[in-house]
Amino acid sequence: MIRDGIEYVDYKDTALLRKFISDRGKIRSRRVTGLTVQQQKQVARAIKNAREMALLPYTSTTR
């Protein structure tokens, strides 16, 4: 995320986190996002925290 000028990923920044979630609600892979291992772990943890706090949905569509 240093490449985007972002040094810290916060779970409250839902606009940023939505970039790393697919249209089906899954976390995008490192191959797609181009992040390092540490950055991907930070993003995944932030997304999981945001979902726990009900800031992001677990899935985007209901079946």
Side-chain angles (χ1 to χ4, degrees):
M1 311 258 258
I2 300 298
R3 62 182 173 86
D4 292 337
I6 301 162
E7 297 181 8
Y8 178 72
V9 182
D10 192 18
Y11 73 93
K12 293 174 274 193
D13 191 0
T14 58
L16 175 68
L17 294 178
R18 286 186 194 274
K19 295 179 187 177
F20 300 105
I21 300 177
S22 70
D23 57 342
R24 305 192 113 217
K26 303 206 177 205
I27 300 173
R28 295 189 189 273
S29 67
R30 280 188 53 225
R31 204 180 322 163
V32 175
T33 60
L35 299 176
T36 65
V37 175
Q38 291 84 8
Q39 291 168 341
Q40 183 72 15
K41 286 180 182 178
Q42 288 177 351
V43 167
R45 177 56 45 207
I47 289 172
K48 289 176 183 180
N49 284 341
R51 285 176 173 167
E52 186 73 24
M53 296 292 173
L55 298 175
L56 289 174
Y58 281 96
T59 58
S60 59
T61 59
T62 57
R63 293 184 180 171

